[in-house]
Amino acid sequence: MSESNAHTNGDNPQPQPSTEDPTTASDPLTTPLIWPPDGELSRDWIRHFTSVLSWCSRHLPPSLLPTVLPAVFLQRLILTASNILHREPNLVRVDPTRDDGEGASVVVVGDVHGQLHDVMFLLEDAGFPGEDRFFVFNGDYVDRGAWGLETFVLLLAWKIHLPHRVFLLRGNHESKYCTSIYGFEQEVMAKYGDQGPMVYRKCLRCFEGLPLASIIADRVYTAHGGLFRAVIAPPPPKKHKGKKKSRKIVGDVSGAMKLGSLDELARARRTVLDPPWQGANLIPGDVLWSDPSNKPGLSPNKERGIGLLWGPDMTEEFLYQYQIKLIIRSHEGPDARDKRHELGGMDKGYTIDHVVASGQLITVFSAPDYPQFQATEERYNNQGAYIVLNPPDYSTPVFHSFEAVRPRPKVNPYYDFEQVIDSDEELDLKSMDNGSSHDANSSMSN
């Protein structure tokens, strides 16, 4: 399969977004955002919203964000988007056909991790969502970066405006466990104070509604982590007199794992805050946490303690079975790849991990100069990237690498980055909450 590269760096220096708020409207401090009177979010409204978020990030201390983004406004935005997302299936089918019957391009975006200014640049550089351009975001909107809330609600606004052209998939960080460790929960509390628990709870509920994967133009499968194993029901136990026992669904622990099917993915229960690595929620755990490997077959992902490792033969089997050409996943930044020398590094924001007879497996990571807060003086200085898929076949990825927007506004981290490991390894899986946000409501005040 041919590959095309179209970098936004190199000999033609990329344009940098302005470090100042581009609007000439009145001071956002005196004009709190309100929902449009007609109830519809327009493109112009979202552009103004973007400018306000940029201005706030550079001129307001976090605790004053509610003076511009009141909690009641934020709650309405999150709930509106959540209602849309919860109605979508686990596996969304992206049909990039325009109203005139011609094909639109599709932009696939990897992890962004609360790096608001880089997301704003990406949207402008790729071209905003619209009739000619669809977007599929592949999860990990929050944590580590200092503007996870602003990043998430900006993308929710685009989803509300163009629900059939903007698709937001779930990442492993859209969970209660990760957000309690890597900063997002603390970020929301710092910004919204007494109203923080309510805002955070609404975000958790919204996370539950994010679909797990997409199929683009019947040619491309996208998911945050990647592939998943089949869920196997053991033979029914012998009948005994007395109380009936429920039939437990478990993952295949015999070691003879096999790939799961798209039908199984479609039936999986995704409304869990932290998908476990076994039981009925095995598939969401795999989809969000798994990684590719150069070794053939399927094996437990011992490095992370959750999900799978899958080899090139499994990539070929999946592509061939469903007659698709590309698997695009995310989930691994420069910190993770720094520990996995058998695979390519993330210095350009993407890697081609498997090239097989039926197509390719690609990892894309869209957070440049990541992580924002790093314990060592030596930084990865990685570029971010996004992928453009063009009609008519959508099978030739066009890679766009880009640098981080600098300087970033000065801000303190919301987690102890010197104590927390860089990549998602050695997780305390026993502390994961395997219930839904409804289960957590009783322990979280309004």
Side-chain angles (χ1 to χ4, degrees), residues 257-272:
M257 293 185 290
K258 65 178 183 179
L259 280 178
S261 68
L262 292 183
D263 286 341
E264 287 180 290
L265 175 58
R267 294 193 303 267
R269 175 177 174 258
R270 77 174 187 259
T271 54
V272 286

Side-chain angles (χ1 to χ4, degrees), residues 194-214:
D194 292 343
Q195 295 174 310
M198 179 273 293
V199 174
Y200 179 60
R201 186 172 66 249
K202 299 302 182 187
C203 288
L204 292 181
R205 175 63 176 156
C206 193
F207 292 164
E208 291 177 353
L210 294 167
L212 298 175
S214 79

